[in-house]
Amino acid sequence: MAGEGKRKRTTAIEEAVVATAVVTAGFALQFTLGSFDKAFLAFPVNIIALAALATLLFIKQGRLLTRLSSGSLSVILLTLVLFSTLYMGLVPGNKTKISWPFVLIYLMTLINITAVISVHLKSFSKRSIPFLLNHLGVLILLYAAGLGSADKSRYFMRVNEGEVEWRAEQSGFGAREGLTELPIAISLKNFEIEEYPPKLAIIERATGEALPKGRPLLFPAELNNFAQIEGWSIKVDTLKYLPRFAPSAYVLVTSQGTNDTLRGWVSCGNHFQRHKTLDINENLCVAMTFPEPKAYSSDVIVYTRSGKERGGIIMVNSPLTVGSWKIYQHSYDTQKGRDSQWSRFELVYDPWFIPALIGIIMMIAGAITLFWKGGAR
Amino acid sequence: MSWSHFIYFAFGSLTLWSAGVVSLYRAKSTTAGKILILAGILLFSVFIAGLWIAQGHPPLRTIGETRLWYSFFLIIVGFATYLHWGYKWLMGYSTLVSAVFIFVNLLKPEIHTTNLMPALRSVWFVPHVTVYILSYAMLGAATIASFVALKELRSTQRLMPLIDNLVYIGFGFLMMGMLMGAIWAKEAWGDYWSWDPKEVWAFITATAYLIYIHSRLRGYPLKYILWLLPVAFILLMITWIGVNYLPAAQGSIHVY
Ligand code: HEM
């Protein structure tokens, strides 16, 4: 037992020395070369690195594999990862994730996990499955998210209703300026916004503050809807909301004290109509808020250079997937609201997303094994 | 079925759940308690189903509706974990947190009409948050146990199986929360991981617990590694509530 403890301790020191050397090398590179250029990892470099890493799975059990798969090395690496990410989380505007020390720690971690998987595969049994789900899962995910992300690119594309667009503007870090032609095109058949009804409120004319102060009451301008606010009751008598025109409501305002009724149109206005309020007295008026979008969606057909064609509806939270592309609803002409003539999409190209998803799903399964089996053994 | 009926179902279910928890602790057999809890779950599901049918779409569009699902899932996942592990306190905790969300729903009717911003309207949102809440409970309990264990170090290690269990279960929930968040982020923002400050801190927290798990496997001295649990829990608290106040977090999508 004592001998075992001693052996463990000495190996941990060896691993600490190796880790320190790698981190020092990382800092040396950082100070001489500057930050790591992630573009370097782009295809085919990441595939070649993957093949090199995979050879670890096939080498025979021996000193090398024992060293690389050391559990103490894992603890040291995880601690280094902890400190680098703490720096990332505490210091504003840092570039930790593209710094040489971090990149080298990341690579060592990948090697360490691959080696320990290799060891476990050599004595595979049903009992290795939870281990493999967690570690193969995390390995695939870290690979795809790290080395794979060099192949990722994002673009913004604005498409007018009834037109087809191939050109887009690159977004994100180190983006090229101007429009680039993509191997993918979007034809926008129709853009649509569903809106919540605008809301009505009594506001103070001088300050614009809604009543009751501090707890303003805004109620939806729906037909025959009514509300009582500080001695006034308001009822919606007629509603008009035609294409291109701003929503407007004909409201009756009754003073609960005197029973006097006042009536008139209220509108929030839009890009081409002025807003309109209804004055109740010299202090107060009835006003309408802009309708909030409930959902917006684009009905599109997507074409690719390689001849694929896919139609569908794109909404927030519901992108369209075409090969390695995902197309997201980004925005529209907010000034025109539901009359917007164009829709803006974000296109994300990530050929490593499927592997990442496989890793994520394996890890979810691994997490289930964790709380099913628990930690006591 | 509409929100005006909620109060009857809410009090019905809460009564059944509380009676169930009390019965778990008091009665000789746990059968009655389990039946009471199940009955409460059934009653609550009737309300959700009724609301769903009446609206013609899944109730996932307003803040009140997400609170409804939290209350529901907390009880379900808490109950399933209790059934598997027998931690009665977890059932009590789930009931308590669920009750908090139910009361928020009853006392703040305006959130039934406050719409969820479109990006939050996702099937991943509710499970993502629910498993986090449960993971905090398990890891919090592990932290308390770690203090007791540190006091008892010289005499016994009786708490270590419990602590390891709680860490594995809590960490399992934590990973599920993070991974579901990642899938959701890909659907909503185009990237499953963007090193957003909240994500950085979630990563830090997970790494701290991984250090604990792997140090235990190595058999390092308990008097050192038990300290990892309070430290990890502080990191977890920063992830949960502290991030919004950190200078590095300005501009995060997770700050609301
Ligand atoms: C989601 C992430 C992870 C989880 C849930 C996890 C969990 C575990 C568990 C439960 C074991 C014990 C397996 C068994 O004996 O059946 C283990 C072993 C191990 N893990 Fe992980 N792990 C994770 C990530 C990592 C990472 C990132 C590394 C490397 C830095 C790593 C390196 C190791 C090593 C080397 C062992 C062998 C244990 C030893 O001999 O000390 N794991 N892990």
Side-chain angles (χ1 to χ4, degrees), chain B residues 9 12 27 33 37 41 64 76 100 103 109 115 125 137 189-190 215-216 246:
Chain B
F9 289 89
I37 293 168
I41 292 177
I76 298 223
V100 170
F103 278 106
N115 300 299
F125 183 32
W189 284 285
S215 300
R216 280 289 288 152
L246 290 174

Side-chain angles (χ1 to χ4, degrees), chain A residues 152 154 196 317 328 371-372, chain B residues 84-85 115 119 186 189 191:
Chain A
K152 195 155 61 182
R154 312 169 71 108
Y196 291 107
N317 254 328
Y328 299 83
F371 61 68
W372 203 250
Chain B
H84 189 66
W85 288 104
N115 300 299
K186 179 71 186 171
W189 284 285
D191 235 330

Side-chain angles (χ1 to χ4, degrees), chain A residues 200 234-238 248-253 261-267 276-279 286 288:
Chain A
L200 292 169
I234 311 180
K235 180 164 181 274
V236 180
D237 183 75
T238 315
S248 51
Y250 190 73
V251 297
L252 310 181
V253 184
T261 299
L262 214 111
R263 57 199 71 211
W265 287 98
V266 181
S267 167
K276 200 166 160 10
T277 55
L278 175 65
D279 292 347
V286 181
M288 185 187 268

Side-chain angles (χ1 to χ4, degrees), chain A residues 153-182:
Chain A
S153 48
R154 312 169 71 108
Y155 301 87
F156 285 118
M157 183 186 271
R158 195 183 120 167
V159 191
N160 293 329
E161 242 170 352
E163 289 178 14
V164 183
E165 183 62 82
W166 288 91
R167 291 159 312 158
E169 192 186 330
Q170 198 170 15
S171 82
F173 196 66
R176 250 171 304 160
E177 271 187 46
L179 294 173
T180 329
E181 188 152 317
L182 299 185

Side-chain angles (χ1 to χ4, degrees), chain A residues 47-111:
Chain A
I47 292 287
I48 296 168
L50 179 62
L53 197 60
T55 57
L56 283 182
L57 295 176
F58 303 103
I59 63 172
K60 276 225 273 311
Q61 183 72 51
R63 265 175 78 90
L64 179 66
L65 205 54
T66 310
R67 289 267 162 94
L68 292 180
S69 68
S70 146
S72 302
L73 181 60
S74 308
V75 174
I76 293 172
L77 288 172
L78 285 168
T79 310
L80 291 172
V81 169
L82 183 77
F83 283 113
S84 347
T85 45
L86 271 173
Y87 185 82
M88 209 188 277
L90 288 170
V91 180
N94 68 82
K95 289 189 180 156
T96 313
K97 54 179 186 275
I98 50 163
S99 71
W100 279 98
F102 185 70
V103 171
L104 293 185
I105 294 167
Y106 201 103
L107 284 178
M108 263 215 289
T109 309
L110 292 179
I111 292 171

Side-chain angles (χ1 to χ4, degrees), chain A residues 68-78 81 108-110 112-117 120 127-128 130-135 137-139 142 363 366-367 369-370 373-374 377, chain B residues 168 171-172 175 179 206 210 213-219:
Chain A
L68 292 180
S69 68
S70 146
S72 302
L73 181 60
S74 308
V75 174
I76 293 172
L77 288 172
L78 285 168
V81 169
M108 263 215 289
T109 309
L110 292 179
N112 181 229
I113 305 175
T114 314
V116 71
I117 290 171
H120 273 247
R127 293 192 46 206
S128 339
F131 172 87
L132 286 176
L133 284 173
N134 278 315
H135 294 83
V138 86
L139 177 67
L142 287 178
M363 285 176 77
T369 68
L370 283 186
K373 284 189 358 180
R377 56 199 69 219
Chain B
Y168 273 61
F171 183 78
M175 286 315 285
L179 296 165
L210 275 182
I213 289 174
H214 291 88
S215 300
R216 280 289 288 152
L217 293 167
R218 295 271 82 200

Side-chain angles (χ1 to χ4, degrees), chain A residues 82-331:
Chain A
L82 183 77
F83 283 113
S84 347
T85 45
L86 271 173
Y87 185 82
M88 209 188 277
L90 288 170
V91 180
N94 68 82
K95 289 189 180 156
T96 313
K97 54 179 186 275
I98 50 163
S99 71
W100 279 98
F102 185 70
V103 171
L104 293 185
I105 294 167
Y106 201 103
L107 284 178
M108 263 215 289
T109 309
L110 292 179
I111 292 171
N112 181 229
I113 305 175
T114 314
V116 71
I117 290 171
S118 176
V119 171
H120 273 247
L121 283 179
K122 292 187 170 56
S123 56
F124 179 82
S125 75
K126 247 190 170 148
R127 293 192 46 206
S128 339
I129 291 176
F131 172 87
L132 286 176
L133 284 173
N134 278 315
H135 294 83
L136 209 49
V138 86
L139 177 67
I140 297 174
L141 180 59
L142 287 178
Y143 204 93
L147 282 78
S149 68
D151 292 337
K152 195 155 61 182
S153 48
R154 312 169 71 108
Y155 301 87
F156 285 118
M157 183 186 271
R158 195 183 120 167
V159 191
N160 293 329
E161 242 170 352
E163 289 178 14
V164 183
E165 183 62 82
W166 288 91
R167 291 159 312 158
E169 192 186 330
Q170 198 170 15
S171 82
F173 196 66
R176 250 171 304 160
E177 271 187 46
L179 294 173
T180 329
E181 188 152 317
L182 299 185
I184 187 165
I186 302 177
S187 138
L188 179 61
K189 289 198 285 187
N190 186 26
F191 174 75
E192 222 172 70
I193 297 189
E194 215 188 312
E195 288 172 328
Y196 291 107
K199 289 180 179 156
L200 292 169
I202 297 187
I203 62 172
E204 220 176 45
R205 290 168 63 181
T207 60
E209 204 178 336
L211 299 187
K213 284 193 184 172
R215 286 192 73 222
L217 183 83
L218 282 83
F219 74 103
E222 282 166 322
L223 201 59
N224 293 329
N225 208 2
F226 65 94
Q228 284 175 355
I229 305 172
E230 293 201 346
W232 305 94
S233 80
I234 311 180
K235 180 164 181 274
V236 180
D237 183 75
T238 315
L239 263 181
K240 257 205 303 204
Y241 195 9
L242 300 169
R244 309 194 121 263
F245 289 90
S248 51
Y250 190 73
V251 297
L252 310 181
V253 184
T254 312
S255 154
Q256 284 165 350
T258 62
N259 252 351
D260 288 344
T261 299
L262 214 111
R263 57 199 71 211
W265 287 98
V266 181
S267 167
C268 56
N270 68 4
H271 57 104
F272 98 153
Q273 266 186 312
R274 268 180 59 81
H275 74 274
K276 200 166 160 10
T277 55
L278 175 65
D279 292 347
I280 303 177
N281 55 33
E282 61 275 19
N283 291 328
L284 302 174
C285 67
V286 181
M288 185 187 268
T289 63
F290 287 113
E292 281 176 62
K294 188 177 195 171
Y296 42 98
S297 58
S298 303
D299 190 356
V300 299
I301 303 177
V302 177
Y303 308 93
T304 68
R305 225 355 70 88
S306 51
K308 263 190 247 165
E309 185 181 320
R310 242 196 107 180
I313 295 192
I314 302 179
M315 285 188 275
V316 173
N317 254 328
S318 164
L320 187 71
T321 308
V322 183
S324 294
W325 291 89
K326 270 184 189 280
I327 306 171
Y328 299 83
Q329 177 70 56
H330 186 263
S331 57

Side-chain angles (χ1 to χ4, degrees), chain B residues 139-150:
Chain B
L139 296 172
T143 310
I144 296 169
S146 75
F147 284 124
V148 182
L150 276 166

